[in-house]
Amino acid sequence: MMTVNEVSKLTGISVRTLQYYDRIGLFKPSGHTTAGYRLYNTASLEQLQQILLYRELQFPLKTIKEIMESTNFNKNKALEQQIALLTLKKEHLENLIAFAREIQMKGDKIMDFSAFNTKDFDDYAAQAKDIWGKTEEYQEYERVSKNWTKEDKQTMTQEFMNHFVVFGQLLKTDPASSEAQEQVKKLQEYITSHFYPCSTQILASLGEMYTADASMMANIDLAGGAGTAAFTAEAIRIYCQKGIKE
């Protein structure tokens, strides 16, 4: 067992921060001394590693707590997602460094920071086909998109991802807030207007996909910031539940 001071020295996290994590229920000690001082065992330190990985990815503390308290939380699956996100973050930073060096060497240049490229768009269309390929909604999507050019796809992709940029700006709010729920409505309306009729059932399925698929989750988090996919999925879940009840 380790004291709070020993954990602080080992991890570089201040005692005050560890105490705050305890107060909000994010990271509880595994026991206390007879004098009431916090004690942590190996399992506690493993939990702290998970928290620190999510913090490195800039997940809000509230979101981390919700993820780790979820009945569906799986440590191995969480690690896979964290590795995917960290790898993507590393690649993103390397691309930005290379881009900055190119500007330094060649001078001014048109900037294109598209969150997706057309390959991502095509990959997601293929995923949609696997799930809804025989539905009227997907047939409508194929009819609408069959004549799209590469430029059309890039425009649609950027417009679509802008919705997640807005979700990212709402990360510090409650997914049930009027702002978050209004943004879900706008996302649903955009999908209906540009892709296929987005029913409550389809929207709910999309929300689940945003966190179940590591690649999709990583791309959404690149657009809106770490935690955006999880936040959006929760906002959609709340929105769809209200729609079903109404």
Side-chain angles (χ1 to χ4, degrees):
M1 300 283 276
M2 299 180 69
T3 66
V4 68
N5 285 308
E6 289 171 333
V7 172
S8 176
K9 290 177 182 178
L10 176 67
T11 63
I13 304 171
S14 69
V15 171
R16 185 183 298 272
T17 297
L18 290 170
Q19 291 170 340
Y20 176 68
Y21 285 179
D22 183 7
R23 284 200 303 275
I24 65 174
L26 175 63
F27 179 57
K28 307 290 289 184
S30 51
H32 295 83
T33 67
T34 53
Y37 294 107
R38 296 172 177 83
L39 291 172
Y40 302 89
N41 59 17
T42 301
S44 295
L45 295 179
E46 290 177 355
Q47 183 185 25
L48 184 58
Q49 287 177 334
Q50 287 282 331
I51 294 169
L52 293 181
L53 282 170
Y54 279 122
R55 288 300 289 151
E56 186 64 30
L57 290 163
Q58 300 176 332
F59 277 55
L61 294 177
K62 181 181 177 182
T63 302
I64 297 173
K65 186 173 183 291
E66 290 172 352
I67 291 172
M68 298 187 69
E69 288 180 352
S70 169
T71 54
N72 297 323
F73 179 76
N74 180 291
K75 186 175 75 172
N76 291 330
K77 184 176 180 180
L79 280 170
E80 288 178 6
Q81 291 177 335
Q82 288 164 346
I83 290 168
L85 289 169
L86 287 167
T87 301
L88 207 60
K89 184 177 180 181
K90 171 177 172 286
E91 292 172 354
H92 180 62
L93 288 173
E94 287 175 344
N95 289 336
L96 286 178
I97 291 169
F99 184 69
R101 285 176 175 161
E102 189 173 2
I103 294 174
Q104 187 180 48
M105 292 175 60
K106 298 182 179 179
D108 198 14
K109 180 178 180 178
I110 296 174
M111 299 184 186
D112 179 12
F113 284 96
S114 299
F116 280 4
N117 56 33
T118 56
K119 180 182 181 300
D120 293 312
F121 190 97
D122 293 336
D123 287 346
Y124 288 176
Q127 288 180 350
K129 186 172 184 178
D130 287 340
I131 299 172
W132 303 307
K134 296 182 180 179
T135 65
E136 292 181 3
E137 288 84 359
Y138 189 81
Q139 289 168 14
E140 172 67 10
Y141 164 73
E142 286 198 316
R143 184 188 68 77
V144 170
S145 64
K146 65 180 180 180
N147 295 321
W148 283 352
T149 65
K150 180 179 179 180
E151 289 71 25
D152 291 332
K153 289 181 181 179
Q154 288 175 334
T155 299
M156 291 292 185
T157 294
Q158 191 59 57
E159 289 180 355
F160 181 65
M161 292 312 295
N162 284 342
H163 287 83
F164 297 108
V165 173
V166 176
F167 276 117
Q169 294 168 350
L170 297 172
L171 280 175
K172 293 183 180 179
T173 70
D174 190 321
S177 68
S178 58
E179 295 88 350
Q181 292 300 292
E182 180 62 25
Q183 184 56 26
V184 173
K185 182 181 178 183
K186 289 179 180 178
L187 176 64
Q188 184 182 30
E189 289 174 347
Y190 183 86
I191 294 171
T192 295
S193 298
H194 295 82
F195 301 118
Y196 46 77
C198 186
S199 65
T200 300
Q201 181 182 3
I202 287 180
L203 183 64
S205 297
L206 284 172
E208 293 173 0
M209 285 172 60
Y210 291 162
T211 52
D213 184 279
S215 175
M216 189 175 290
M217 180 178 178
N219 277 307
I220 290 173
D221 283 354
L222 269 183
T228 301
F231 178 89
T232 303
E234 179 61 13
I236 289 174
R237 185 189 67 78
I238 294 168
Y239 180 89
C240 291
Q241 277 190 344
K242 288 195 317 189
I244 292 171
K245 289 178 182 177
E246 292 172 358

